[in-house]
Amino acid sequence: MDLQKQDLQKPDLHKGDLHKRDLRQQGAPAASELRASDAERDRIADLLRDALAEGRLTADEHAERVEGVLRAKTVGELEVFVRDLPAAHRPGPGPAHSPAPWRPTAGAVPVDPDDNVVAVFSSAVRKGRRRTGRRIHAYAIFGSVEIDLSEALFDHQQVVVKSFAIFGSVDIRVPENVSLRGMGGGVLGSFEVATLDSDDPEAPIVYVDGWAVLGSVEARPRRGKIVADILDRVQRKVDKGLRKHLGH
């Protein structure tokens, strides 16, 4: 009788519970089993392109490996295509710096905008080689706003783009070598920001805030575009070091 009571008191483990327990026991997957990102595919493709230029791969071998890179699903599958190349085994850069904060530093960005971009039953565009300021306000009401910062001059490290799309759209583009953060949301609309982290700790940080109400706000990097100011700063450092070396 006691044995029957003990059996009745045992927990009823369903298949779902057993599956969850098995997943916990398995732990986190190995790094090679993680899903590959587009950035990782691009990195491997760059190594293959360099190997072709150096004569380490024939044109047919390069084409075959690039095709395999495009089909690869995991990081481990990608590494196979460069395992026999010296570039894949060179020491990488030093430890990564801390990622950009998800909120602007208190007091770094003023409350009042440096620029207002308004489209009411119309369209408005800001692009080209121009200074960004620290805060941009965009209003798309039954209209569309395009803010392209891919060629902009960044005088400040932190820039806020406050966007309001009401039955309209706000489209934001930034250079590839800045950090991009999203802080807004959508109400029966779409608010999408492609998070981006720059390798340069001094790179600008663009914060996209606001709301999409029955509309859309989208922010993402524009491929092939970089902040020229960062390159200029690096060149100035090189020139300064060269002058110091030459005794000027």
Side-chain angles (χ1 to χ4, degrees), residues 93-168:
H97 66 278
S98 301
W102 285 93
R103 296 279 176 181
T105 305
V109 180
V111 176
D112 297 327
D114 298 301
D115 188 14
N116 282 307
V117 190
V118 182
V120 180
F121 289 99
S122 62
S123 62
V125 178
R126 293 287 191 278
K127 65 179 181 180
R129 196 72 172 160
R130 58 196 307 274
R131 301 193 180 279
T132 62
R134 286 179 289 179
R135 178 182 285 270
I136 303 171
H137 283 187
Y139 303 89
I141 304 172
F142 290 95
S144 63
V145 169
E146 178 187 355
I147 299 176
D148 189 344
L149 303 178
S150 61
E151 297 180 356
L153 294 168
F154 288 83
D155 290 332
H156 308 279
Q157 186 177 27
Q158 299 186 36
V159 177
V160 171
V161 182
K162 191 87 170 183
S163 306
F164 299 94
I166 303 174
F167 290 96

Coordinates of all heavy atoms in Angstrom, one line a residue, residues 93-168:
P93 N 43.3 41.0 -34.1 CA 43.5 42.2 -33.3 C 43.4 42.0 -31.8 O 42.9 40.9 -31.4 CB 42.4 43.1 -33.8 CG 41.3 42.2 -34.3 CD 42.0 41.0 -34.9
G94 N 43.8 42.9 -31.0 CA 43.8 42.8 -29.6 C 42.4 42.7 -29.0 O 41.4 42.6 -29.8
P95 N 42.2 42.6 -27.7 CA 40.9 42.4 -27.2 C 39.9 43.6 -27.6 O 40.3 44.7 -27.7 CB 41.2 42.5 -25.6 CG 42.5 43.1 -25.5 CD 43.3 42.8 -26.7
A96 N 38.7 43.2 -27.8 CA 37.7 44.2 -28.3 C 37.4 45.2 -27.2 O 37.4 44.8 -26.0 CB 36.5 43.4 -28.7
H97 N 37.1 46.4 -27.6 CA 36.7 47.4 -26.6 C 35.3 47.2 -26.2 O 34.5 46.4 -26.8 CB 36.9 48.8 -27.2 CG 36.0 49.1 -28.3 ND1 36.2 48.6 -29.6 CD2 34.8 49.7 -28.4 CE1 35.2 49.0 -30.4 NE2 34.4 49.7 -29.7
S98 N 34.8 47.9 -25.2 CA 33.5 47.7 -24.7 C 32.5 48.2 -25.8 O 32.8 49.2 -26.4 CB 33.3 48.5 -23.4 OG 34.1 48.0 -22.4
P99 N 31.4 47.6 -26.0 CA 30.4 48.0 -27.0 C 29.9 49.4 -26.6 O 29.9 49.8 -25.4 CB 29.4 47.0 -27.0 CG 29.5 46.3 -25.6 CD 30.9 46.4 -25.3
A100 N 29.3 50.1 -27.6 CA 28.8 51.4 -27.4 C 27.6 51.3 -26.4 O 26.8 50.3 -26.5 CB 28.3 52.0 -28.7
P101 N 27.3 52.3 -25.5 CA 26.2 52.2 -24.6 C 24.9 52.3 -25.4 O 24.8 52.8 -26.5 CB 26.4 53.5 -23.7 CG 27.3 54.4 -24.6 CD 28.1 53.5 -25.4
W102 N 23.8 51.8 -24.8 CA 22.5 51.7 -25.4 C 21.8 53.0 -25.3 O 20.7 53.2 -25.9 CB 21.7 50.5 -24.9 CG 22.2 49.2 -25.5 CD1 23.2 48.4 -24.9 CD2 21.9 48.6 -26.7 NE1 23.4 47.3 -25.7 CE2 22.6 47.4 -26.8 CE3 21.0 49.0 -27.7 CZ2 22.5 46.6 -28.0 CZ3 20.9 48.2 -28.8 CH2 21.7 47.0 -28.9
R103 N 22.2 53.9 -24.4 CA 21.6 55.2 -24.2 C 22.6 56.3 -24.3 O 23.8 56.1 -23.9 CB 20.9 55.2 -22.9 CG 19.7 54.2 -22.7 CD 18.5 54.8 -23.4 NE 17.4 53.8 -23.3 CZ 16.2 54.0 -23.8 NH1 15.9 55.2 -24.4 NH2 15.2 53.1 -23.8
P104 N 22.3 57.4 -24.8 CA 23.2 58.5 -24.8 C 23.7 58.9 -23.4 O 22.9 58.8 -22.5 CB 22.5 59.7 -25.5 CG 21.3 59.1 -26.2 CD 21.0 57.8 -25.4
T105 N 24.9 59.4 -23.3 CA 25.4 59.9 -22.1 C 24.6 61.1 -21.6 O 24.2 62.0 -22.4 CB 26.9 60.4 -22.2 OG1 27.6 59.2 -22.7 CG2 27.4 60.8 -20.8
A106 N 24.2 61.2 -20.3 CA 23.4 62.3 -19.8 C 24.1 63.6 -20.1 O 25.2 63.8 -19.8 CB 23.2 62.1 -18.3
G107 N 23.3 64.5 -20.7 CA 23.8 65.8 -21.0 C 24.6 65.9 -22.3 O 25.0 67.0 -22.7
A108 N 24.9 64.8 -23.0 CA 25.7 64.9 -24.2 C 24.9 65.4 -25.4 O 25.5 65.9 -26.3 CB 26.3 63.5 -24.5
V109 N 23.6 65.1 -25.4 CA 22.8 65.5 -26.5 C 21.7 66.5 -26.0 O 21.0 66.2 -25.1 CB 22.1 64.3 -27.2 CG1 21.2 64.7 -28.3 CG2 23.2 63.3 -27.6
P110 N 21.6 67.7 -26.6 CA 20.6 68.7 -26.2 C 19.2 68.2 -26.5 O 18.9 67.3 -27.3 CB 21.0 69.9 -27.0 CG 21.6 69.4 -28.3 CD 22.4 68.2 -27.8
V111 N 18.2 68.9 -25.8 CA 16.8 68.5 -26.0 C 16.3 69.1 -27.3 O 15.5 68.5 -28.0 CB 16.0 69.1 -24.8 CG1 14.5 68.8 -25.0 CG2 16.5 68.4 -23.5
D112 N 16.7 70.3 -27.6 CA 16.3 70.9 -28.9 C 17.1 70.4 -30.1 O 18.3 70.2 -30.0 CB 16.5 72.4 -28.8 CG 15.6 73.0 -27.7 OD1 14.5 72.5 -27.4 OD2 16.1 74.0 -27.0
P113 N 16.4 70.2 -31.2 CA 17.0 69.6 -32.4 C 17.9 70.7 -33.1 O 17.6 71.9 -33.1 CB 15.8 69.2 -33.2 CG 14.7 70.1 -32.9 CD 14.9 70.4 -31.4
D114 N 18.9 70.2 -33.8 CA 19.7 71.0 -34.6 C 19.1 71.1 -36.0 O 19.3 72.0 -36.8 CB 21.1 70.4 -34.8 CG 21.9 70.4 -33.5 OD1 22.0 71.5 -32.9 OD2 22.3 69.3 -33.0
D115 N 18.2 70.1 -36.3 CA 17.6 70.1 -37.6 C 16.2 69.4 -37.5 O 16.1 68.3 -36.9 CB 18.5 69.3 -38.6 CG 18.0 69.4 -40.1 OD1 17.1 70.2 -40.3 OD2 18.4 68.6 -40.9
N116 N 15.2 70.0 -38.1 CA 13.9 69.4 -38.2 C 13.6 69.0 -39.7 O 13.7 69.8 -40.6 CB 12.8 70.3 -37.8 CG 12.7 70.5 -36.3 OD1 12.6 69.5 -35.5 ND2 12.8 71.7 -35.7
V117 N 13.3 67.7 -39.9 CA 12.9 67.2 -41.2 C 11.5 66.8 -41.2 O 11.1 65.8 -40.5 CB 13.8 66.0 -41.6 CG1 13.6 65.7 -43.1 CG2 15.3 66.3 -41.3
V118 N 10.6 67.5 -41.9 CA 9.2 67.3 -41.8 C 8.6 67.0 -43.2 O 8.9 67.7 -44.2 CB 8.5 68.6 -41.3 CG1 7.0 68.4 -41.2 CG2 9.1 69.0 -40.0
A119 N 7.8 66.0 -43.3 CA 7.1 65.6 -44.5 C 5.6 65.3 -44.2 O 5.3 64.3 -43.5 CB 7.7 64.4 -45.1
V120 N 4.7 66.2 -44.6 CA 3.3 66.0 -44.4 C 2.6 65.9 -45.8 O 2.6 66.9 -46.5 CB 2.7 67.2 -43.6 CG1 1.2 67.0 -43.4 CG2 3.4 67.4 -42.3
F121 N 2.1 64.7 -46.1 CA 1.6 64.4 -47.4 C 2.6 64.8 -48.5 O 2.3 65.3 -49.6 CB 0.3 65.2 -47.7 CG -0.9 64.7 -46.9 CD1 -1.2 65.4 -45.7 CD2 -1.6 63.6 -47.3 CE1 -2.3 64.9 -45.0 CE2 -2.6 63.2 -46.6 CZ -3.0 63.8 -45.4
S122 N 3.9 64.5 -48.2 CA 5.0 64.9 -49.1 C 6.2 64.0 -48.7 O 6.1 63.1 -47.9 CB 5.3 66.4 -49.0 OG 5.8 66.7 -47.7
S123 N 7.4 64.4 -49.3 CA 8.6 63.7 -48.9 C 9.7 64.7 -48.6 O 9.7 65.9 -49.1 CB 9.1 62.8 -50.1 OG 9.3 63.6 -51.3
A124 N 10.6 64.3 -47.8 CA 11.8 65.2 -47.4 C 13.0 64.4 -47.3 O 13.0 63.2 -46.9 CB 11.5 65.9 -46.1
V125 N 14.1 65.0 -47.7 CA 15.4 64.2 -47.8 C 16.5 65.1 -47.2 O 16.6 66.3 -47.4 CB 15.8 63.9 -49.3 CG1 17.1 63.1 -49.3 CG2 14.7 63.0 -49.9
R126 N 17.4 64.4 -46.4 CA 18.6 65.0 -46.0 C 19.7 64.0 -46.3 O 19.8 62.9 -45.8 CB 18.6 65.2 -44.4 CG 17.6 66.3 -44.0 CD 18.1 67.7 -44.3 NE 17.3 68.7 -43.6 CZ 16.1 69.1 -44.1 NH1 15.6 68.6 -45.2 NH2 15.4 70.0 -43.4
K127 N 20.7 64.4 -47.1 CA 21.8 63.5 -47.5 C 22.9 64.4 -48.0 O 22.8 65.6 -48.2 CB 21.4 62.5 -48.5 CG 20.9 63.0 -49.8 CD 20.6 61.8 -50.7 CE 20.2 62.3 -52.1 NZ 19.8 61.2 -53.0
G128 N 24.1 63.7 -48.3 CA 25.2 64.4 -48.8 C 26.2 64.7 -47.8 O 26.1 64.4 -46.6
R129 N 27.2 65.5 -48.2 CA 28.3 65.9 -47.3 C 27.9 67.1 -46.5 O 28.0 68.3 -46.9 CB 29.5 66.3 -48.2 CG 30.9 66.3 -47.4 CD 31.3 64.9 -47.0 NE 32.7 65.0 -46.4 CZ 33.1 64.0 -45.7 NH1 32.4 63.0 -45.4 NH2 34.4 64.1 -45.2
R130 N 27.4 66.8 -45.3 CA 26.8 67.9 -44.5 C 27.1 67.5 -43.0 O 27.2 66.4 -42.7 CB 25.4 68.2 -44.7 CG 24.5 66.9 -44.5 CD 23.1 67.1 -45.1 NE 22.5 68.3 -44.7 CZ 21.7 68.4 -43.6 NH1 21.6 67.4 -42.8 NH2 21.1 69.5 -43.2
R131 N 27.1 68.5 -42.1 CA 27.3 68.3 -40.7 C 26.0 67.8 -40.0 O 24.9 68.4 -40.3 CB 27.9 69.5 -40.0 CG 29.2 70.0 -40.6 CD 29.9 71.0 -39.8 NE 31.1 71.4 -40.5 CZ 32.3 70.7 -40.4 NH1 32.3 69.6 -39.7 NH2 33.4 71.1 -41.0
T132 N 26.1 66.8 -39.2 CA 25.0 66.2 -38.6 C 24.4 67.0 -37.4 O 23.2 66.9 -37.2 CB 25.3 64.8 -38.1 OG1 26.3 64.9 -37.1 CG2 25.8 63.9 -39.2
G133 N 25.2 67.7 -36.6 CA 24.7 68.2 -35.4 C 24.5 67.0 -34.4 O 25.0 65.9 -34.6
R134 N 23.9 67.3 -33.3 CA 23.8 66.3 -32.2 C 22.4 65.7 -32.2 O 22.2 64.6 -31.6 CB 24.2 66.9 -30.9 CG 25.7 67.0 -30.7 CD 26.0 67.6 -29.3 NE 25.7 69.0 -29.3 CZ 25.8 69.8 -28.2 NH1 26.4 69.2 -27.1 NH2 25.5 71.0 -28.2
R135 N 21.4 66.4 -32.7 CA 20.0 65.9 -32.6 C 19.2 66.3 -33.9 O 19.2 67.4 -34.3 CB 19.3 66.4 -31.4 CG 17.8 66.0 -31.3 CD 17.1 66.6 -30.1 NE 17.5 65.9 -28.8 CZ 17.0 64.8 -28.3 NH1 15.9 64.3 -28.9 NH2 17.4 64.3 -27.2
I136 N 18.6 65.3 -34.5 CA 17.8 65.5 -35.6 C 16.4 65.0 -35.3 O 16.2 63.9 -34.8 CB 18.3 64.7 -36.9 CG1 19.8 65.2 -37.1 CG2 17.5 65.0 -38.1 CD1 20.5 64.3 -38.2
H137 N 15.4 65.8 -35.6 CA 14.0 65.3 -35.5 C 13.4 65.1 -36.9 O 13.5 66.0 -37.7 CB 13.2 66.4 -34.7 CG 13.4 66.4 -33.2 ND1 12.7 67.1 -32.3 CD2 14.3 65.7 -32.5 CE1 13.2 66.9 -31.1 NE2 14.2 66.0 -31.2
A138 N 12.7 64.0 -37.0 CA 12.1 63.6 -38.3 C 10.6 63.3 -38.1 O 10.3 62.6 -37.2 CB 12.8 62.4 -38.9
Y139 N 9.8 64.0 -38.9 CA 8.3 63.8 -38.8 C 7.8 63.4 -40.1 O 7.9 64.2 -41.1 CB 7.6 65.1 -38.3 CG 8.1 65.6 -37.0 CD1 9.2 66.5 -36.9 CD2 7.5 65.2 -35.8 CE1 9.7 67.0 -35.7 CE2 8.0 65.7 -34.6 CZ 9.1 66.6 -34.5 OH 9.5 67.1 -33.3
A140 N 7.2 62.2 -40.3 CA 6.6 61.7 -41.5 C 5.2 61.5 -41.2 O 4.8 60.5 -40.6 CB 7.3 60.5 -42.0
I141 N 4.3 62.4 -41.7 CA 2.8 62.2 -41.5 C 2.2 62.1 -42.8 O 2.1 63.1 -43.6 CB 2.3 63.5 -40.7 CG1 3.0 63.6 -39.4 CG2 0.8 63.3 -40.5 CD1 2.7 64.9 -38.6
F142 N 1.8 60.9 -43.1 CA 1.2 60.6 -44.5 C 2.3 61.0 -45.5 O 2.0 61.5 -46.6 CB -0.1 61.3 -44.8 CG -1.2 60.8 -44.0 CD1 -1.6 61.4 -42.8 CD2 -1.9 59.7 -44.4 CE1 -2.7 60.9 -42.0 CE2 -3.0 59.2 -43.7 CZ -3.4 59.8 -42.5
G143 N 3.6 60.8 -45.2 CA 4.6 61.2 -46.1 C 5.9 60.3 -45.8 O 5.8 59.4 -45.1
S144 N 7.0 60.7 -46.4 CA 8.2 59.9 -46.3 C 9.4 60.8 -46.0 O 9.5 61.9 -46.6 CB 8.5 59.0 -47.5 OG 8.7 59.8 -48.6
V145 N 10.3 60.4 -45.1 CA 11.5 61.1 -44.8 C 12.7 60.2 -45.0 O 12.7 59.0 -44.6 CB 11.5 61.6 -43.3 CG1 12.9 62.1 -42.9 CG2 10.4 62.7 -43.1
E146 N 13.7 60.7 -45.7 CA 14.9 60.0 -45.9 C 16.1 60.8 -45.3 O 16.3 61.9 -45.6 CB 15.2 59.7 -47.4 CG 16.5 59.0 -47.6 CD 16.9 58.9 -49.1 OE1 16.1 59.3 -49.9 OE2 18.0 58.4 -49.4
I147 N 16.8 60.1 -44.3 CA 18.0 60.8 -43.7 C 19.1 59.8 -44.0 O 19.2 58.7 -43.4 CB 17.8 61.0 -42.2 CG1 16.6 61.9 -41.9 CG2 19.0 61.5 -41.6 CD1 16.2 62.1 -40.5
D148 N 20.0 60.3 -44.8 CA 21.2 59.5 -45.2 C 22.5 60.2 -44.6 O 22.9 61.2 -45.1 CB 21.3 59.5 -46.8 CG 22.4 58.5 -47.2 OD1 23.2 58.1 -46.4 OD2 22.4 58.1 -48.4
L149 N 23.0 59.5 -43.6 CA 24.2 60.0 -42.9 C 25.5 59.4 -43.4 O 26.5 59.5 -42.8 CB 24.1 59.8 -41.4 CG 22.9 60.5 -40.8 CD1 22.8 60.1 -39.3 CD2 22.8 62.0 -41.0
S150 N 25.4 58.6 -44.5 CA 26.5 57.8 -45.0 C 27.7 58.7 -45.5 O 28.8 58.2 -45.5 CB 26.1 56.8 -46.1 OG 25.6 57.5 -47.2
E151 N 27.4 60.0 -45.8 CA 28.5 60.8 -46.2 C 28.6 62.1 -45.3 O 29.3 63.0 -45.7 CB 28.3 61.3 -47.7 CG 28.3 60.2 -48.7 CD 28.0 60.6 -50.1 OE1 27.8 61.9 -50.3 OE2 28.1 59.8 -51.0
A152 N 28.0 62.0 -44.2 CA 27.9 63.2 -43.3 C 29.2 63.4 -42.5 O 30.0 62.5 -42.4 CB 26.7 63.0 -42.3
L153 N 29.4 64.6 -42.1 CA 30.5 65.0 -41.2 C 30.0 64.9 -39.8 O 29.1 65.7 -39.4 CB 31.0 66.4 -41.6 CG 31.6 66.5 -42.9 CD1 31.8 68.0 -43.3 CD2 33.0 65.8 -43.0
F154 N 30.6 64.1 -38.9 CA 30.2 64.0 -37.6 C 31.1 64.8 -36.7 O 32.3 64.5 -36.5 CB 30.3 62.5 -37.1 CG 29.2 61.6 -37.7 CD1 29.4 61.1 -39.0 CD2 28.1 61.4 -37.0 CE1 28.4 60.3 -39.5 CE2 27.1 60.6 -37.5 CZ 27.2 60.0 -38.8
D155 N 30.6 65.9 -36.2 CA 31.3 66.8 -35.3 C 31.3 66.3 -33.8 O 32.0 66.7 -33.0 CB 30.8 68.2 -35.3 CG 31.2 68.9 -36.7 OD1 32.2 68.5 -37.2 OD2 30.4 69.8 -37.1
H156 N 30.3 65.4 -33.5 CA 30.1 64.9 -32.2 C 30.0 63.4 -32.2 O 29.5 62.8 -33.2 CB 28.8 65.5 -31.6 CG 28.7 67.0 -31.7 ND1 29.4 67.8 -30.8 CD2 28.1 67.8 -32.6 CE1 29.1 69.1 -31.1 NE2 28.4 69.1 -32.2
Q157 N 30.4 62.8 -31.2 CA 30.4 61.3 -31.1 C 29.0 60.8 -31.0 O 28.7 59.7 -31.6 CB 31.3 60.8 -30.0 CG 31.4 59.3 -30.1 CD 32.3 58.7 -29.0 OE1 32.5 59.3 -28.0 NE2 32.9 57.6 -29.3
Q158 N 28.1 61.4 -30.3 CA 26.8 60.9 -30.0 C 25.7 61.7 -30.8 O 25.7 63.0 -30.6 CB 26.4 60.9 -28.5 CG 27.4 60.0 -27.8 CD 27.0 59.8 -26.3 OE1 25.8 59.8 -26.0 NE2 28.0 59.8 -25.4
V159 N 24.9 61.1 -31.6 CA 23.9 61.7 -32.4 C 22.6 61.0 -32.2 O 22.5 59.8 -32.3 CB 24.3 61.7 -33.9 CG1 23.2 62.4 -34.8 CG2 25.6 62.4 -34.2
V160 N 21.5 61.8 -31.9 CA 20.2 61.2 -31.8 C 19.3 61.6 -33.0 O 19.3 62.8 -33.3 CB 19.6 61.7 -30.4 CG1 18.1 61.3 -30.4 CG2 20.3 61.1 -29.3
V161 N 18.7 60.6 -33.5 CA 17.7 60.9 -34.6 C 16.3 60.5 -34.0 O 16.0 59.3 -33.9 CB 18.0 60.1 -35.9 CG1 16.9 60.4 -36.9 CG2 19.4 60.4 -36.4
K162 N 15.5 61.5 -33.7 CA 14.2 61.2 -33.1 C 13.2 61.2 -34.3 O 13.0 62.2 -35.0 CB 13.8 62.4 -32.2 CG 12.6 62.1 -31.3 CD 13.0 61.4 -30.0 CE 11.8 61.3 -29.1 NZ 12.1 60.7 -27.8
S163 N 12.5 60.0 -34.4 CA 11.7 59.8 -35.6 C 10.3 59.5 -35.2 O 10.0 58.7 -34.3 CB 12.3 58.6 -36.4 OG 13.6 58.8 -36.7
F164 N 9.3 60.2 -35.9 CA 7.9 59.9 -35.7 C 7.3 59.7 -37.1 O 7.3 60.6 -37.9 CB 7.2 61.2 -35.0 CG 7.8 61.5 -33.7 CD1 8.8 62.4 -33.5 CD2 7.3 60.8 -32.6 CE1 9.3 62.7 -32.3 CE2 7.8 61.1 -31.3 CZ 8.8 62.1 -31.2
A165 N 6.8 58.5 -37.3 CA 6.2 58.1 -38.5 C 4.7 57.7 -38.2 O 4.4 56.8 -37.6 CB 6.9 56.9 -39.1
I166 N 3.8 58.6 -38.7 CA 2.4 58.4 -38.5 C 1.8 58.3 -39.9 O 1.7 59.2 -40.7 CB 1.8 59.6 -37.8 CG1 2.5 59.8 -36.4 CG2 0.3 59.4 -37.5 CD1 2.1 61.0 -35.7
F167 N 1.4 57.1 -40.2 CA 0.9 56.8 -41.6 C 1.9 57.2 -42.6 O 1.6 57.6 -43.7 CB -0.4 57.5 -41.9 CG -1.6 56.9 -41.1 CD1 -2.0 57.5 -39.9 CD2 -2.3 55.8 -41.6 CE1 -3.1 57.0 -39.2 CE2 -3.3 55.2 -40.8 CZ -3.7 55.8 -39.7
G168 N 3.2 57.1 -42.2 CA 4.3 57.4 -43.1 C 5.5 56.6 -42.8 O 5.5 55.6 -42.1

